[in-house]
Amino acid sequence: MHITSLQNGFLNGSGNGAAAGNRLLATLTKNEYKRLLPKLKLVSLVLGEVLYEPGDVIKHVYFPNDSIISLISELSDTSWLEVGMVGSEGMAGLAVFMGVNFSSTRALVQGSGTAMRMSSAAVRTEANRVGSLHRILHRYSHSLLAQVSQSSACNRFHLVDARLARWLLMTNDRLGLKEFPLTQEFLSNMLGVRREGVSKAAHALQAGKLIRYSRGVITILNRRGLEAKSCQCYAIIKAESDAYLN
Ligand SMILES: [Zn+2]
């Protein structure tokens, strides 16, 4: 997505948010969107950037356009697990909307791209004003909770290659790219699996010609095949995040 065209789309007020890459913002009424526009700032997020650590005061929330933010629980200094994923369907920093100032998870940029940033103070004002942003954030809270619940059951019961397929599909949906950088160490933390387990699962997907994994770059070769390989959790999570937006 080109930043200039995105900003122009916002500035010339075309549509009711259709110019926004963020699907949550795109559901706002035209008037509400216009009113919020001065409070939204287009920012670039870079892979590996940490937006909040657990316990940090949340100063801004982020509505990703084509970036991905992972919500991570830390179990020890060396062990952590992704508990949620926020892309164009959502917003990072939801705690602020719930009346909590601190982050309980790490928010890590998992895919580079742009996002619309809003100050927490502005979100607090919106939380007290029952407009379309307020309503959609309530619905999003439910959707994110459903995603986190499904992922946690998935991490406990489903096989690593099915979970890897689900994770790659979710990343592909949010980034809109078939090729993205990914180290085994990162993936092992995302899935809460030892590196050998990730490596074995990646080999299995590669042997089935579903992906190519070379020099830290994953390429999705066969999306349909990957959908077939994934557990049903992918379809359940996708249906939930599509449904809340409609
Ligand atoms: Zn699953």
Side-chain angles (χ1 to χ4, degrees):
M1 189 177 303
H2 196 270
I3 292 185
T4 312
S5 64
L6 184 66
Q7 237 161 3
N8 287 342
F10 282 117
L11 294 173
N12 68 21
S14 59
N16 63 345
N22 183 276
R23 293 159 69 205
L24 187 158
L25 291 177
T27 66
L28 300 183
T29 60
K30 193 172 182 175
N31 284 344
E32 178 124 334
Y33 186 68
K34 264 189 168 173
R35 187 173 60 74
L36 290 174
L37 207 49
K39 300 179 181 183
L40 292 165
K41 185 178 184 214
L42 181 68
V43 293
S44 290
L45 302 180
V46 180
L47 177 70
E49 191 178 345
V50 175
L51 304 175
Y52 331 114
E53 288 287 0
D56 278 359
V57 172
I58 300 174
K59 292 180 183 155
H60 296 99
V61 302
Y62 296 84
F63 299 91
N65 292 314
D66 54 354
S67 52
I68 305 185
I69 299 166
S70 278
L71 307 178
I72 289 164
S73 265
E74 207 173 62
L75 308 166
S76 72
D77 287 350
T78 53
S79 167
W80 38 279
L81 175 68
E82 181 184 72
V83 292
M85 192 189 273
V86 181
S88 62
E89 82 296 345
M91 179 188 92
L94 193 60
V96 174
F97 176 68
M98 309 285 212
V100 178
N101 296 333
F102 302 94
S103 181
S104 59
T105 52
R106 174 181 298 148
L108 172 78
V109 178
Q110 181 219 309
S112 299
T114 64
M116 303 311 292
R117 192 179 79 182
M118 188 189 257
S119 74
S120 295
V123 177
R124 275 183 218 109
T125 306
E126 291 307 315
N128 292 323
R129 175 184 192 138
V130 185
S132 59
L133 181 62
H134 179 108
R135 283 191 292 273
I136 196 72
L137 283 177
H138 260 298
R139 290 169 64 86
Y140 175 58
S141 305
H142 176 265
S143 170
L144 185 63
L145 185 62
Q147 187 210 118
V148 169
S149 314
Q150 192 70 39
S151 305
S152 98
C154 182
N155 286 339
R156 173 72 181 78
F157 292 108
H158 291 156
L159 295 174
V160 182
D161 36 356
R163 282 160 54 193
L164 174 59
R166 166 179 70 80
W167 192 88
L168 291 172
L169 290 165
M170 286 176 68
T171 301
N172 178 224
D173 286 346
R174 286 161 181 78
L175 271 186
L177 298 172
K178 291 209 158 174
E179 194 168 281
F180 37 88
L182 203 58
T183 65
Q184 280 199 14
E185 188 190 4
F186 188 81
L187 203 47
S188 119
N189 281 315
M190 286 294 140
L191 298 170
V193 181
R194 286 174 187 276
R195 282 177 68 167
E196 307 82 74
V198 168
S199 170
K200 230 173 130 184
H203 272 120
L205 298 186
Q206 196 156 228
K209 295 193 165 47
L210 305 179
I211 61 166
R212 185 173 55 235
Y213 190 24
S214 158
R215 297 179 185 182
V217 175
I218 288 248
T219 309
I220 294 177
L221 301 174
N222 178 352
R223 221 199 108 97
R224 284 203 148 179
L226 217 47
E227 284 172 12
K229 191 76 188 172
S230 167
C231 46
Q232 75 270 29
C233 302
Y234 168 68
I236 293 170
I237 292 170
K238 187 170 189 323
E240 178 61 45
S241 66
D242 287 347
Y244 106 86
L245 288 164
N246 293 314

